[in-house]
């Protein structure tokens, strides 16, 4: 067991545990905070994969924006912030069965892939992930079109949010 | 003499020799040395933090035309230590109905989010916690953890005012993160890298000369991020009875308070690193790393002084004014500045240093002038709409 | 060694210091809990009503708009890093990206979503 594998196992266990707590804890705001822990675990996994830019983006976007959005949404839709709902409905065994089957199916599929047990190749010397990403995002042979389309997608999300949240009764455009 | 030229490496090598001599595997020895180094840095930071409490109180006193602490020790220098002792021996009350785990975790996360920022501060050409090549975004990531700790503090206190204060503070913090991210792009464009060490190493011409408007917007956004006046609506002592801090007493409050001061000093440091050349001072840093540390600490103090000056001079801004200022003025201005900087940088890339500096500086001045003109014309229209067109004075007819 | 291990050390030490400080304070301080001391603080008056507030929807709108611009700016960082080496074509592409999103901001502004009200 190399040190890397131990680190990965610990991080994966923490992430999975936090994910489990997200769906089983009674208090909604606690669930949001456990989600933050799970997202942080994913960021640490990115670090072990040498994707440091993605790790920081994960913290900045997911924890810094999306988790806060979740917490705001929870507080917007709950009358009492310490509201505690029921944890499971009557068919929880079916959900658990489905989850186990899905996990088994995925594992069976991945068994046949030879990359499953290989360690990833190390980066060539002098490889700068961010430079390569920058090159890829703006060169016409690489990802320039998805880059521009991503901005259109973001504007679409913005327009959708405005439309959904727009209520002529309280606030909103005066024209 | 290699210690004086490269103290970190010399100390680390010596310790490594000692530890492997005791039979420790090299990996564990390296980890232990790293841990000791971090511990020393953080201890120095906490002592600095205590000094900052004294500086803050003396400076606010002078701004308010009084003397400040002067009883304990010469010039009141022992005062912060007395404060720490007082905070330590205070009772640790937890309000009824508070969520115990989250309530206790919040001040720890708040302090942690400030301390981890010092991992990427380049103190000297050879003294740097970690040379991450994504330093600029790391600043924002640490800020995200700080934002989360404020929500946790406000929510878990089981107090209306804490909740309102926390929400407002978080709304302001996340709003002002957009211009901060945008102005962080500017040193990245100019230096060609996001890492703080690379940004400092590339600052042959200080970036404040190449992009003064960027430096100004970064300072404004940083002051808002810190939650300090004039953007301190969440903590306004006269409005929300110190906002998310209400139910915290003793050392937990101490963590929030000291964390805020250290955060301000750290952002003074980042302002110096990103725009004022960091540890560089016309070649002084090559003489000795200790001089470089002194230079960057001095510049950080100047930034901190500026932040304090702003705090004790300006009145608090209302929250809707704050948010309108951010989304309707600062964000479009910051994005316009990025566009202009990118264009100017690409067009002037091959020019001589003087032409380049002049071109970038003029482009900034142009953008600032344009923004002010637009703001002026808009406010003129607004005033006319509210007050009616100005009456032209009747000429005397004689 | 992965340099991030030292970042991890900073996290650990950064957590240890406040835990240590608060721990010492918890050991040193008196412990006399008392129901009056533990009521919520409202400038000395008794609390009125539940301690929840009607959450303004405007907070959510601001968080949403922030999310969109956060993702956009994060996309711009790799572009900014390579700007010096890539020439005018890449600059124009990035400018188009920014302009599309500024158009989104103007739309949100005109629709009145940025009012605090």
């Amino acid at each position: 067991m190399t040190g890397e594998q131990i680190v990965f196992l610990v991080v994966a266990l923490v992430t999975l545990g936090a994910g489990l707590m997200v769906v089983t804890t009674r208090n909604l705001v606690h669930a949001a905070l456990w989600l933050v822990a799970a997202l942080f675990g994913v960021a640490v996994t990115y670090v072990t994969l040498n994707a440091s830019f993605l790790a920081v983006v994960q913290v900045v976007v997911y924890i810094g924006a999306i988790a806060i959005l979740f917490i705001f949404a929870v507080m917007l839709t709950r009358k009492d912030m310490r509201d505690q709902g029921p944890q499971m409905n009557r068919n929880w065994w079916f959900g658990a069965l489905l989850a186990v089957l899905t996990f088994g199916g995925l594992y069976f599929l991945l068994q046949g892939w030879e990359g499953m047990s290989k360690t990833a190749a190390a980066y060539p010397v002098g490889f700068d992930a961010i430079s390569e990403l920058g090159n890829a995002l703006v060169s016409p042979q690489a990802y320039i079109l998805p880059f521009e389309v991503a901005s259109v997608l973001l504007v679409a999300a913005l327009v959708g949010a405005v439309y959904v949240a727009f209520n002529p009764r309280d606030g909103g455009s005066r024209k | 003499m290699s210690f004086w030229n490269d103290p970190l490496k010399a100390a680390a090598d010596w310790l490594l020799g000692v530890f492997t001599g005791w039979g420790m595997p090299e990996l564990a020895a390296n980890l232990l040395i790293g841990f000791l180094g971090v511990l020393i840095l953080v201890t120095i930071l906490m002592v600095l933090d205590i000094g900052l409490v004294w500086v803050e109180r003396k400076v606010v006193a002078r701004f308010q035309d009084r003397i400040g602490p002067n009883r304990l020790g010469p010039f009141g220098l022992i005062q912060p230590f007395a404060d720490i002792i007082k905070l330590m021996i205070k009772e640790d009350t937890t309000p009824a109905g508070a969520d115990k785990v989250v309530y206790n975790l919040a001040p720890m996360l708040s302090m942690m989010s400030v301390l981890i920022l010092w991992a990427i501060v380049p103190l000297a050409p050879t003294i740097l916690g970690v040379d991450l090549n994504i330093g600029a975004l790391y600043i924002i990531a640490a800020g995200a953890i700080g934002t989360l700790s404020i929500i946790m503090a406000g929510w878990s206190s089981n107090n209306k005012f804490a909740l309102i204060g926390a929400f407002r503070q978080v709304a302001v913090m996340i709003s002002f993160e957009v211009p901060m991210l945008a102005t962080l792009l500017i040193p990245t464009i100019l230096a060609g890298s996001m890492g703080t060490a690379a940004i400092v190493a590339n600052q042959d011409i200080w970036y404040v000369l190449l992009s003064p408007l960027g430096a100004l917007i970064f300072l404004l956004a940083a002051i808002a991020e810190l939650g300090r006046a004039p953007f301190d609506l969440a903590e306004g002592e006269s409005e929300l009875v110190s906002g998310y801090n209400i139910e915290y007493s003793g050392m937990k409050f101490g963590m929030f308070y000291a964390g805020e001061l250290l955060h301000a000093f750290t952002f003074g440091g980042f302002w110096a690193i990103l725009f004022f050349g960091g540890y560089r001072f016309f070649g002084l840093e090559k003489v000795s790393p200790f001089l470089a540390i002194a230079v960057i600490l001095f510049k950080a103090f100047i930034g901190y002084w500026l932040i304090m000056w702003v705090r004790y001079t300006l009145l608090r801004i209302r929250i809707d004014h704050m948010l309108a200022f951010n989304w309707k003025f600062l964000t479009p201005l910051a994005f316009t500045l990025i566009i202009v900087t990118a264009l100017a940088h690409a067009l002037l890339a091959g020019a001589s240093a003087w032409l380049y500096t002049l071109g970038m500086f003029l482009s900034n001045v142009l953008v600032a002038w344009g923004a002010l003109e637009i703001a002026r014309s808009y406010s003129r229209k607004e005033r006319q709409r509210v007050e009616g067109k100005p009456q032209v004075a009747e000429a005397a007819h004689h | 060694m992965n340099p991030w291990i030292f970042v991890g050390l900073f996290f650990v030490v950064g957590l240890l210091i406040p835990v240590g400080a608060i721990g010492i304070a918890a050991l040193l301080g008196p412990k006399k809990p008392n129901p009056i001391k533990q009521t919520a603080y409202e400038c000395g008056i008794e609390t009125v009503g539940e301690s929840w507030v009607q959450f303004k929807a405007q907070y959510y709108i601001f968080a949403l708009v922030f999310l969109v611009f956060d993702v956009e700016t994060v996309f711009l960082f790799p572009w900014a890093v390579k700007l010096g080496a890539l020439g005018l074509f890449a600059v124009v592409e990035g400018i188009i990206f920014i302009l599309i999103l500024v158009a989104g901001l103007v739309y949100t502004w005109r629709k009145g979503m940025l009012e605090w009200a």
Side-chain angles (χ1 to χ4, degrees), chain B residues 206-290:
Chain B
W206 288 1
Y207 288 159
V208 68
L209 294 171
L210 296 181
S211 179
L213 190 58
L216 192 60
I217 298 179
F218 182 78
L219 188 65
L220 284 175
I223 296 181
E225 280 284 316
L226 294 168
R228 287 175 72 99
F231 298 109
D232 69 346
L233 196 71
E235 272 190 1
E237 281 92 12
S238 49
E239 299 198 21
L240 279 173
V241 204
S242 76
Y244 62 89
N245 271 332
I246 299 176
E247 297 289 354
Y248 283 97
S249 62
M251 207 55 196
K252 295 186 197 142
F253 170 74
M255 287 287 112
F256 273 121
Y257 182 64
E260 180 186 319
L261 293 183
L262 191 60
H263 204 179
F265 184 73
T266 311
F267 265 98
F270 276 118
W271 200 49
I273 291 173
L274 291 169
F275 291 102
F276 284 90
Y279 53 69
R280 295 176 74 134
F281 192 74
F282 306 114
L284 202 60
E285 72 277 3
K286 295 204 227 343
V287 175
S288 157
F290 294 101

Side-chain angles (χ1 to χ4, degrees), chain B residues 230 233 239 315-323:
Chain B
L233 196 71
E239 299 198 21
L315 304 171
R316 187 173 301 135
I317 304 183
R318 227 169 63 183
I319 182 129
D320 52 338
H321 291 166
M322 261 193 247
L323 291 172

